[in-house]
């Protein structure tokens, strides 16, 4: 660790400020008494929007749907992404390159292409748009995040650890449970959280794969295009930020301890 | 195995036998692990992509509005009509500017967090980058709408800090300007940069953290000034991270149709064109043709990225 120059310090803090100032303004506008324009500074302050949000059933329905979709999509992504990462982390076989490219494709391609393609495929398969089509759409790109996290950790996991475990008499399942899983567990957790966040937030693919149901992002999009009570959107936004802050904190501390374990294995 | 004679016999049973088969026959294990994800991504996802994109060789009957299922290159040629080609150029230019801005703003943050921050500050940086990443995409767009609106905060601060003239001058400029920040390219690029910045910071930071400190010390010992060491050691080693981040920033900007719809000029970008074509216009063939462009651009990008080892920095 060396001493940073003043310019670097300012640039780094400036970058962070850039990331946070708009969020601060969202918080500020939660309390504004003005509901039709974005006038700055707000003409007055009130707490009534929190009460309004509490009473709005449409918001809670959207939150519930988003949570369910994100949980299921993350669960599917965790299973499929981990399998893919396990197969591709070290093995060398014919066609490995195109297959590993395939596993980053859903993120590398624009969401709108994925969205329309899936929409048409669901149409061809005569699948009505439902909760499940939303989940399938989300799982497609969530796999990528889990895969990326798991594959990076698996590559750093020394193969001699696995060999040692086998030499000491553990079978493949014991090795997986006692050696591999503890080493990649935190990476999976981090990947899962990222997948959850992506799904909870996704709007582009969802507009194509959702029927009449609205997830929280879809609800927000409709509020953005046809605003009714602008501060209500602010309150919802702040609640979402507040609710997601704790899992990030937890994920961070879990991954950090995991890094130390993985490092000692090298 | 002869060494194991003195040890207690390993547990026998179905599980053990299954385990032995899996360990001995690596190919089978690999196959079992690859089949489920490949069934989803390789068959369903790739299949639906193919079915959608293949329609770009069909055309649309102008009178009935139905799809004519006869191979033709006319739809692809339509992309090069002046109006459509403008859309493509505009979108690629915006994505390039956004990527560049993300790299310029993100690099110092990543560099500070990776090489100068102590454990506590590092935790702070990480959370400070993850928090905006986790907050809802639309809410962030909305936050910028608040800031950029004519009556909004940026205008207010500009006029109270005596910068009202500068803002007006900027808005009068031909391409980047507009009636207000929230209906200009400047606003659109700012919002995109803001949205995708964490996607740039994280891989760059990961790449920088992997640069061994001994390399930099060696550069110093060999007489390189900190500036030279930065340019000839740190920057080349961080490039895979920048490219990995650019994959996200570029691709995400290429396909977005929501930001330009909420903040931006009336001129269409690629995502909006595809959205209108597949929706109200009902012209799936042309929508597919348009969708081929970002895919080709990203294919080129990914090939280059792979050469630079960017995937190891993800």
């Amino acid at each position: 660790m060396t001493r940073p120059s003043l310019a670097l310090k300012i640039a780094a803090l400036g970058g962070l400020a850039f990331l946070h100032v708009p969020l601060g303004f969202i918080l500020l506008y939660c309390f504004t008494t003005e509901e039709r324009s974005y006038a700055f500074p707000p003409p007055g302050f009130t707490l009534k929007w929190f009460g309004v949000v509490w009473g709005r059933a449409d918001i809670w329905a959207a939150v519930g749907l988003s949570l369910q979709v994100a949980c299921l999509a993350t669960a599917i992504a965790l299973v499929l992404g981990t399998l893919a990462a396990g197969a591709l982390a070290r093995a060398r076989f014919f066609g490995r390159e195109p297959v590993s490219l395939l596993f980053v494709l859903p993120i590398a391609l624009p969401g709108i292409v994925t969205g329309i393609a899936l929409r048409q495929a669901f149409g061809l398969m005569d699948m009505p748009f439902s909760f499940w089509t939303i989940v399938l759409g989300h799982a497609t790109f969530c796999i990528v995040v889990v895969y990326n996290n798991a594959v990076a950790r698996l590559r750093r996991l020394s193969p001699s650890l696995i060999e040692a475990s086998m030499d000491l008499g553990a079978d493949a399942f014991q090795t997986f449970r006692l050696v591999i899983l503890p080493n990649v567990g935190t990476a999976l957790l981090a990947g899962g959280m990222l997948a959850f966040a992506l799904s909870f937030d996704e709007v582009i693919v969802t507009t194509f794969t959702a029927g009449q149901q609205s997830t929280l992002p879809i609800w927000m999009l409709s509020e953005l295009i046809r605003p009714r009570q602008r501060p209500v959107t602010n309150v919802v936004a702040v609640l979402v930020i507040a609710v997601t802050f704790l899992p990030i904190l937890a994920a961070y501390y879990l991954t950090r301890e995991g890094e130390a374990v993985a490092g000692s294995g090298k | 195995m002869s060494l194991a004679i003195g040890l207690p016999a390993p547990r026998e049973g179905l599980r053990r036998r299954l385990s032995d088969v899996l360990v001995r026959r690596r190919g089978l294990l690999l196959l079992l692990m690859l089949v489920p994800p490949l069934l989803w991504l390789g068959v369903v996802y790739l299949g639906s992509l193919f079915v959608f994109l293949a329609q770009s060789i069909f055309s649309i009957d102008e009178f009935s509005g139905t799809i004519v299922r006869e191979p033709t290159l006319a739809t692809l040629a339509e992309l090069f009509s002046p109006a459509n080609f403008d859309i493509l150029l505009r979108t690629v230019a915006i994505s390039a500017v956004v990527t560049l801005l993300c790299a310029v703003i993100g690099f110092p943050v990543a560099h500070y967090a990776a090489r100068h921050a102590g454990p506590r500050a590092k935790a702070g940086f990480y959370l400070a980058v993850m928090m905006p990443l986790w907050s809802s995409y639309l809410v962030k767009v909305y936050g910028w709408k608040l800031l950029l609106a004519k009556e909004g905060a940026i205008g207010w601060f500009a006029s109270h800090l005596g910068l009202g003239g500068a803002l007006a001058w900027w808005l009068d400029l031909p391409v980047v300007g507009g009636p207000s920040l929230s209906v200009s390219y400047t606003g659109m690029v700012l919002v995109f940069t803001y949205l995708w910045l964490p996607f740039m910071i994280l891989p760059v930071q990961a790449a920088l953290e992997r640069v061994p400190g001994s390399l930099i010390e060696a550069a110093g010992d060999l007489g390189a000034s900190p500036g030279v060491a930065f340019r000839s050691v740190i920057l080349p080693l961080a490039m895979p991270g920048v490219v990995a981040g650019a994959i996200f920033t570029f691709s995400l900007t290429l396909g977005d149709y929501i930001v330009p719809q909420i903040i931006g000029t009336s001129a269409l970008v690629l995502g909006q064109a595809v959205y209108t074509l597949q929706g109200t216009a009902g012209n799936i063939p042309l929508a597919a043709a348009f969708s081929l462009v970002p895919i080709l651009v990203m294919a080129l990008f990914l090939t280059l990225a792979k050469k630079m080892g960017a995937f190891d920095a993800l």
Side-chain angles (χ1 to χ4, degrees):
Chain A
M1 208 169 80
T2 47
R3 289 196 63 77
S5 68
L6 186 67
L8 179 63
K9 240 181 191 165
I10 292 171
L13 291 178
L16 285 190
F18 177 61
L19 280 174
H20 287 270
V21 167
L23 297 180
F25 274 93
I26 291 171
L27 185 63
L28 176 72
Y29 277 89
C30 284
F31 304 101
T32 181
T33 47
E34 169 67 57
E35 64 173 278
R36 280 193 188 76
S37 84
Y38 303 118
F40 186 87
F45 293 96
T46 168
L47 282 172
K48 77 168 180 181
W49 303 115
F50 288 86
V52 174
V53 168
W54 186 253
R56 286 270 292 265
D58 57 334
I59 295 173
W60 295 109
V63 170
L65 181 67
S66 275
L67 283 176
Q68 286 172 18
V69 168
C71 284
L72 255 171
T74 306
I76 296 174
L78 272 176
V79 174
L80 295 182
T82 312
L83 284 176
L88 293 172
R90 291 212 177 262
R92 299 275 172 273
F93 57 89
F94 177 73
R96 181 181 178 275
E97 293 292 301
V99 169
S100 54
L101 187 64
L102 174 65
F103 286 120
V104 294
L105 205 58
I107 286 271
L109 289 186
I112 188 168
V113 177
T114 303
I116 300 177
L118 287 175
R119 182 185 183 87
Q120 297 225 305
F122 291 144
L124 281 177
M125 291 188 282
D126 277 330
M127 274 170 83
F129 296 114
S130 66
F131 174 74
W132 292 104
T133 52
I134 306 178
V135 170
L136 290 179
H138 284 196
T140 307
F141 54 80
C142 286
I143 292 174
V144 182
V145 198
V146 177
Y147 166 78
N148 273 334
N149 267 277
V151 92
R153 181 67 62 84
L154 280 171
R155 285 206 183 114
R156 264 182 284 163
L157 179 66
S158 161
S160 54
L161 276 183
I162 296 166
E163 283 160 23
S165 154
M166 297 272 199
D167 288 348
L168 292 169
D171 65 26
F173 304 104
Q174 287 167 321
T175 306
F176 177 75
R177 190 162 51 88
L178 299 172
V179 177
I180 301 177
L181 209 53
N183 271 296
V184 301
T186 49
L188 290 185
L189 188 69
M193 293 219 159
L194 213 53
F196 188 92
L198 262 184
S199 165
F200 195 72
D201 210 25
E202 218 290 333
V203 64
I204 293 187
V205 175
T206 320
T207 42
F208 294 102
T209 55
Q212 297 303 313
Q213 291 157 301
S214 65
T215 60
L216 197 60
I218 300 268
W219 177 86
M220 268 176 193
L221 183 61
S222 65
E223 288 296 307
L224 261 177
I225 293 171
R226 284 178 302 276
R228 278 180 291 172
Q229 292 171 309
R230 296 183 184 200
V232 167
T233 318
N234 287 70
V235 173
V236 174
V238 168
L239 291 181
V240 170
I241 296 171
V243 167
T244 47
F245 184 70
L246 283 178
I248 315 173
L249 206 66
Y252 175 71
Y253 283 106
L254 279 164
T255 347
R256 201 177 54 159
E257 277 161 27
E259 295 296 330
V261 171
S264 66
K266 265 186 258 179
Chain B
M1 282 311 262
S2 57
L3 286 174
I5 288 168
L7 297 173
R11 277 190 292 154
E12 290 299 328
L14 190 63
R15 207 179 83 157
R16 186 82 208 185
R17 283 217 297 280
L18 191 62
S19 159
D20 286 349
V21 169
L22 289 179
V23 171
R24 225 171 290 144
R25 304 188 55 184
R26 278 289 160 87
L28 183 69
L29 177 66
L30 213 61
L31 197 70
L32 283 177
M33 287 171 86
L34 265 181
V35 162
L38 271 185
L39 269 182
W40 178 245
L41 282 184
V43 178
V44 177
Y45 178 62
L46 219 53
S48 42
L49 267 184
F50 181 78
V51 168
F52 167 54
L53 295 173
Q55 299 191 50
S56 61
I57 60 162
F58 297 148
S59 58
I60 194 127
D61 189 297
E62 285 189 17
F63 294 105
S64 61
T66 52
I67 297 169
V68 183
R69 294 185 186 278
E70 278 168 31
T72 168
L73 289 177
T75 308
L76 286 169
E78 263 184 71
L79 287 182
F80 295 96
S81 74
N84 290 342
F85 200 65
D86 266 2
I87 294 179
L88 300 181
L89 283 183
R90 187 180 301 132
T91 313
V92 170
I94 291 172
S95 307
V97 174
V98 168
T99 301
L100 197 72
L101 275 176
C102 281
V104 170
I105 300 175
F107 200 95
V109 180
H111 190 257
Y112 190 97
R115 308 212 63 87
H116 298 295
R120 290 186 77 86
K122 200 173 224 155
F125 263 87
Y126 181 80
L127 291 173
V129 173
M130 288 308 271
M131 260 254 294
L133 182 70
W134 272 65
S135 357
S136 163
Y137 160 91
L138 287 166
V139 167
K140 286 180 282 185
V141 177
Y142 178 61
W144 276 93
K145 187 107 191 151
L146 303 176
L147 287 174
L148 296 172
K150 214 175 190 123
E151 74 274 15
I154 290 183
W156 187 85
F157 278 113
S159 62
H160 279 72
L161 294 173
L163 294 169
L167 185 64
W169 172 79
W170 183 263
L171 286 174
D172 274 341
L173 290 177
V175 178
V176 294
S180 98
L181 278 175
S182 64
V183 281
S184 69
Y185 284 121
T186 310
M188 198 199 293
V189 165
L190 259 177
V191 176
F192 274 135
T193 306
Y194 173 78
L195 284 174
W196 315 137
L197 187 58
F199 289 96
M200 178 63 87
I201 295 177
L202 293 175
V204 173
Q205 188 185 340
L208 282 170
E209 271 170 1
R210 251 174 286 161
V211 179
S214 56
L215 273 186
I216 296 152
E217 280 166 30
D221 291 348
L222 292 169
S225 67
V228 172
F230 176 77
R231 246 175 300 138
S232 53
V233 179
I234 298 180
L235 205 55
L237 287 171
M239 264 330 261
V242 176
V243 176
I247 293 174
F248 289 107
T249 57
F250 202 84
S251 152
L252 288 165
T253 317
L254 265 188
D256 199 286
Y257 68 93
I258 287 174
V259 171
Q261 190 184 335
I262 294 168
I263 291 162
T265 62
S266 52
L268 290 183
V269 297
L270 199 152
Q272 286 170 295
V274 174
Y275 185 74
T276 346
L277 282 170
Q278 70 85 37
T280 44
N283 192 343
I284 293 285
L286 191 54
F290 260 113
S291 304
L292 281 174
V293 177
I295 295 174
L296 288 179
V297 172
M298 285 320 291
L300 202 73
F301 207 136
L302 285 173
T303 322
L304 286 175
K306 194 137 196 101
K307 282 217 175 97
M308 298 185 67
F311 290 110
D312 303 323
L314 277 175

